Amino acid sequence: MSGAAMLATRLQSGTNRLARCWEVVRKDGVRLGFTDHDLDLTFDGLTFEAASGLDAGALERSTGLSVDNAQALGALRSDRVSESDILIGRYDGAAVRQWLVDWSEPAARIQLFEGTLGELRARGGAFEAELRGLAEALNQPLGRAYLKTCDRDLGDAKCGIDLDDPAYSVTGEVEETADRLKVVFSPSDIYDDGWFAGGALTWQSGANAGLGALVRADVVWEERRELTLWVEARGGIAVGDTFRLVAGCDKYVATCRDKFANVLNFRGFPHMPGEDWVTSYPRSGEMHDGQAVYWDERRDD
């Protein structure tokens, strides 16, 4: 007999032995279990902690492709859910499942919700989380875009670049930092100025371990490199923190050709005409390739 059938049979008895359980799986693989019952419950290889301070509001369900949603409220506890982990983003996009369980026999249960954590807010010793249903993924755009730039991510299957190649990635250690945006380190190899601008940095140790950041600028000075991140490292940056750094790609065909020698796998449309080609008319001696042209170059002799 399935868990749902077992639960239905017990509900027909008229005795209420129901509890709700939540499983949260972070992107770094950490699994957490919570229940509103007064004793711990265990199933699916996970212990759901009792009196964990988590409570979820009513789940709004709808037919069709509308998004199911709910909210969860909880207390911040340093050994379970800490404010620092929320602030640095460890729970962003975490997977969530919710069950209705007969606490006397946890095998009798039915899954009520499956989705991800949306916006999280922490304040005053508590947190509030938005739960987004599986239909949320249907709101994301799919398919290719008709652009001059490439629509692939550097190193994915269609790009084909090997990011384990030392020419395109390096591991480093923070030697100096002025704030949460600056990283100074000395790579073992020599790279051109700006080689990592637009690239991705993944923290391997420190308060931000497992999290990523995008690189805004990469400057060589005094045989060292200074990286500027687009967004502050929310956990702070400390001397000795280690990271992996991947070269930047601005997704233009010239970069694909000259920097990565990968133009055969370029997935953009570099020769598509621009808006000026659509609105202008042919004139002798002019190029209509979509690029901006200054007025003094257009005037008659």
Side-chain angles (χ1 to χ4, degrees):
M1 183 181 296
S2 68
M6 292 173 62
L7 182 62
T9 300
R10 289 176 175 269
L11 289 175
Q12 291 174 359
S13 69
T15 303
N16 187 347
R17 295 173 178 169
L18 300 179
R20 287 183 294 180
C21 296
W22 298 268
E23 177 190 20
V24 177
V25 182
R26 302 189 327 200
K27 290 186 175 180
D28 58 2
V30 173
R31 294 177 69 201
L32 300 173
F34 309 92
T35 179
D36 56 8
H37 188 49
D38 56 2
L39 295 174
D40 290 353
L41 300 176
T42 301
F43 58 87
D44 285 352
L46 180 65
T47 297
F48 296 80
E49 184 181 356
S52 52
L54 182 68
D55 186 26
L59 176 64
E60 297 180 7
R61 286 191 174 276
S62 55
T63 59
L65 299 180
S66 298
V67 178
D68 298 335
N69 62 80
Q71 282 190 329
L73 303 175
L76 291 170
R77 297 180 51 180
S78 60
D79 59 337
R80 300 291 287 176
V81 181
S82 67
E83 184 172 7
S84 61
D85 284 342
I86 290 177
L87 293 177
I88 65 177
R90 296 198 185 279
Y91 288 90
D92 293 353
V96 180
R97 289 195 291 172
Q98 178 185 357
W99 291 271
L100 186 64
V101 182
D102 183 332
W103 52 260
S104 65
E105 187 175 354
R109 63 181 184 271
I110 184 172
Q111 183 173 306
L112 299 178
F113 176 85
E114 182 173 0
T116 58
L117 287 179
E119 182 180 0
L120 281 86
R121 296 180 294 276
R123 61 178 182 274
F127 71 90
E128 181 177 348
E130 178 190 13
L131 305 181
R132 297 177 177 173
L134 295 177
E136 172 69 18
L138 299 177
N139 290 330
Q140 307 302 318
L142 298 175
R144 298 188 63 191
Y146 186 56
L147 300 170
K148 286 191 173 186
T149 53
C150 183
D151 62 359
R152 306 308 306 176
D153 292 326
L154 182 67
D156 70 12
K158 291 185 178 179
C159 170
I161 289 295
D162 181 9
L163 294 184
D164 291 328
D165 188 333
Y168 304 125
S169 66
V170 64
T171 56
E173 180 177 318
V174 178
E175 299 176 0
E176 181 182 332
T177 183
D179 50 39
R180 297 188 177 197
L181 288 173
K182 301 289 185 181
V183 173
V184 177
F185 77 109
S186 300
S188 55
D189 294 328
I190 298 176
Y191 300 92
D192 293 341
D193 194 23
W195 189 258
F196 297 102
L201 180 149
T202 303
W203 296 103
Q204 297 181 325
S205 68
N208 302 290
L211 302 177
L214 297 179
V215 179
R216 180 177 182 179
D218 168 35
V219 180
V220 178
W221 58 282
E222 298 179 355
E223 298 182 355
R224 297 193 294 175
R225 306 188 82 92
E226 180 182 89
L227 306 177
T228 302
L229 307 180
W230 274 105
V231 178
E232 290 185 347
R234 288 179 282 184
I237 302 173
V239 173
D241 288 353
T242 57
F243 56 86
R244 180 174 183 262
L245 185 62
V246 173
C249 177
D250 61 10
K251 300 185 181 296
Y252 282 96
V253 65
T255 302
C256 189
R257 179 191 62 222
D258 301 335
K259 184 174 183 177
F260 299 101
N262 193 44
V263 72
L264 291 179
N265 290 329
F266 185 75
R267 305 288 292 182
F269 304 87
H271 304 298
M272 63 180 287
E275 293 180 359
D276 67 332
W277 181 86
V278 176
T279 60
S280 61
Y281 53 88
R283 298 179 62 178
S284 177
E286 286 192 358
M287 292 290 293
H288 295 271
D289 59 358
Q291 301 183 27
V293 180
Y294 293 106
W295 172 252
D296 62 350
E297 294 177 327
R298 294 185 173 186
R299 66 187 181 187
D300 296 327
D301 295 335

